[in-house]
Amino acid sequence: MANATSNTSTDRLRAKLKQSRPIKFERIGFMSQAGALRKIVWSETMPTLAEQWKFGSLLRRNDYNLDDNNNPAQRDVSEGQIKKIADGIRHSDRPYIGNLTVGMHPDPGYVEIEEIDKIATRVTLVKVTVREGAPAVWSVDGQHRAIALGRVWNAVKDAVEGDALVARQYLEQSSVELTLLLEGDPDTLSTIFIKMASTKPISPSLIAVMDKASVQNRLGQYVIKNAQLFKNRVTYLSSSSHKERADAKGVQFEGLYPAAAVRSAAAAIAGVGVRDRSPDAREGHLNTILQKRSAEKGTSGDDLVAEIGTEVVEFLDYAFCHVPGWREIADDSLSVADFRQNYLHSAAAGLHVIANVIAAARIAGVSPYKAVDAVAEIPWQRDALQTAGEVTDGETGNREAVLSHVFFEGSLAKTAWDTRKSRHWASASGATRSGYEAAITKVLEHIGLEHPELKAIATDETMRELGLIARKRGPGRPRKAKKTETIDQ
């Protein structure tokens, strides 16, 4: 009985302490659920939204940071999109901007939900009280609209005449539905953002680093974080956002490969090869690889992804120190900007070629390190040109030499006269699947001829397993013609 009395006293004390905290905000809304997720919806007037529910006041936002697992985040802010939305809000007599979604941890010490009435099945009218000291309220969807509304309101709120007064009056009679997600897991909020982003498509590279729902993304994230080649060189936001973050951390950022390309390369080395004509195909092949490895070694889950990721990183670290261009970046004798100017594998297609040579070596049962050494002998420089013939100038009648890249012409390279440089120059020919698959095939065949101990790398069996040669198909309807495919950029 004494314990019961003591517990009651403690509960009363806790309740009293909770109520003594100042109220941060209090609203009445409709509470419902999306599966296991609770959510509360209410309307805010646009002036209130602009003045109170703004970043730096009630709301917070972060650019997505691959190294920060503690806070939810979004894509970086696009000024162009903000200006476009702001213009639409200011000059419309129907300034509708849709539902804004925010999320916060429902800490019971700071968040109180009082049921008022049952409205319908699983819909309840409630009063939500959030007290000072509560976890931050994060923007989940609608950051550009919220910023745009704030800017327009600040510009017209004191207007007494003209178009600005008209805009102010329309905003004063307008409201916005606000949805509060009661969720404390940052990864869940980030994943919800990925699924909700319909106003502006999210780049594949940002999805690659934000979304942890797929194996290919988790593997790609592991490789991005751990491979020396990609340290402060992988892009998934705008260049300005990456540079701002790097400056704040006191490090140098030099954008080289997009995160989506790194994800694809990591999956290739893991054993997918070029059998990745869609994200679903890549995921399916990768899951098959993981299931086989799990059955052999007994490892599972994230431990298995990390185990495979460690192997991929080891091969890439070796290549980083041995392949021309990369090795100069590794020893700080070449900047990323100069590397991009002078080497063909600065493009995503070139990265994919090297990744698939490593994959082929693993499939063939030969040394991936020796395969990388063989790759290092190939001329990757853009100025590695040869005379391929002559043509007659239509205006002067003079005979002029036709130059081509000594190895990658027509696959990774397309040689033409560069008027700015006043010389012939091999530029990247594009990231079409036909181009980089032709380059992979040529590299493998070259290595097989030049290095007899690696000849298994170029057999039909290896190329079939890699995905360069189609597996035998049974009788049936012919395959439909496909549009030109590209690798992840």
Side-chain angles (χ1 to χ4, degrees), residues 265-444:
I269 295 173
V272 173
V274 297
R275 298 175 298 157
D276 59 347
R277 284 167 173 75
S278 71
D280 287 344
R282 184 188 301 125
E283 187 76 3
H285 289 306
L286 199 52
N287 272 314
T288 299
I289 292 166
L290 264 65
Q291 288 168 11
K292 182 179 179 181
R293 176 74 71 95
S294 179
E296 292 172 351
K297 295 195 172 184
T299 315
S300 62
D302 287 339
D303 289 340
L304 183 56
V305 173
E307 182 180 293
I308 294 176
T310 299
E311 296 169 3
V312 173
V313 167
E314 186 176 331
F315 298 134
L316 286 171
D317 282 352
Y318 184 86
F320 183 43
C321 295
H322 290 81
V323 175
W326 284 353
R327 69 186 176 210
E328 285 73 25
I329 295 175
D331 63 22
D332 292 326
S333 63
L334 185 70
S335 69
V336 167
D338 287 339
F339 171 66
R340 293 175 69 92
Q341 282 288 318
N342 292 290
Y343 289 89
L344 289 169
H345 55 303
S346 63
L351 168 65
H352 217 55
V353 170
I354 296 172
N356 276 279
V357 171
I358 296 172
R362 300 184 75 193
I363 291 169
V366 299
S367 170
Y369 304 103
K370 290 183 178 179
V372 169
D373 291 338
V375 163
E377 298 171 2
I378 293 172
W380 292 92
Q381 296 86 344
R382 292 180 186 270
D383 60 359
L385 305 178
Q386 63 184 356
T387 301
E390 290 185 341
V391 295
T392 301
D393 188 294
E395 295 183 1
T396 65
N398 295 331
R399 298 287 290 174
E400 296 181 350
V402 175
L403 300 183
S404 64
H405 194 270
V406 297
F407 195 90
F408 288 113
E409 191 69 32
S411 56
L412 295 185
K414 182 179 181 181
T415 304
W417 179 259
D418 189 318
T419 55
R420 187 171 60 86
K421 295 184 175 70
S422 297
R423 59 173 171 168
H424 283 87
W425 193 249
S427 61
S429 64
T432 61
R433 180 170 289 274
S434 59
Y436 77 81
E437 285 191 358
I440 296 168
T441 300
K442 185 170 184 179
V443 170
L444 293 178

Side-chain angles (χ1 to χ4, degrees), residues 208-227:
V209 296
M210 283 187 74
D211 185 9
K212 296 178 174 63
S214 67
V215 173
Q216 60 187 295
N217 287 345
R218 296 202 299 277
L219 177 63
Q221 290 161 22
Y222 184 93
V223 173
I224 289 170
K225 287 182 178 181
N226 292 282

